[in-house]
Amino acid sequence: MRYKGFYIKISPDINISRVDKNGRDVLCEGFLIQVFADETEQVEIYNFSAAVGFEILEDSLAEAEQLAKDFVECEGKGCM
C-alpha cells in the first residue's frame, strides 16, 4: 500500500508477544507492519506489530491499515 510517499507492507502474524492486564505474557494474533521508503523494500523506515486486543480491536486488515496510516501521519508531525 502506498501512503504519503511511503510504501507500507502488512502481513499476518500469529506470534506477537504482549503482556496482559494481569502481567502474564501472552501470544497474540495480528499483523506485522513495515514502512519502507518505496516499493523496492530496500530501505526500511520502521516496523512494528499490531496485536488484536492491544493495538487493534479486531483481526482486521482495514484496522491495521488505519494504524499504519496513523503512524505515518504521526511520524511526519514528530510525535513518535
Side-chain angles (χ1 to χ4, degrees):
M1 163 177 88
R2 285 181 170 196
Y3 185 72
K4 299 231 176 193
F6 294 96
Y7 179 73
I8 300 169
K9 181 178 178 181
I10 301 174
S11 308
D13 191 345
I14 59 170
N15 292 307
I16 301 172
S17 179
R18 293 290 187 266
V19 176
D20 70 10
K21 63 183 176 183
N22 296 318
R24 295 177 297 210
D25 291 332
V26 294
L27 282 179
C28 304
E29 293 186 10
F31 299 91
L32 172 63
I33 300 170
Q34 297 168 284
V35 181
F36 296 95
D38 60 30
E39 57 273 339
T40 66
E41 298 181 13
Q42 298 296 314
V43 179
E44 185 177 76
I45 305 294
Y46 202 74
N47 74 63
F48 56 98
S49 57
V52 174
F54 290 83
E55 293 82 16
I56 57 177
L57 299 177
E58 300 175 0
D59 189 7
S60 159
L61 182 59
E63 200 170 341
E65 286 177 355
Q66 186 59 53
L67 182 68
K69 289 176 180 179
D70 292 345
F71 171 81
V72 168
E73 290 287 336
C74 190
E75 269 295 292
K77 295 175 182 168
C79 47
M80 290 272 167

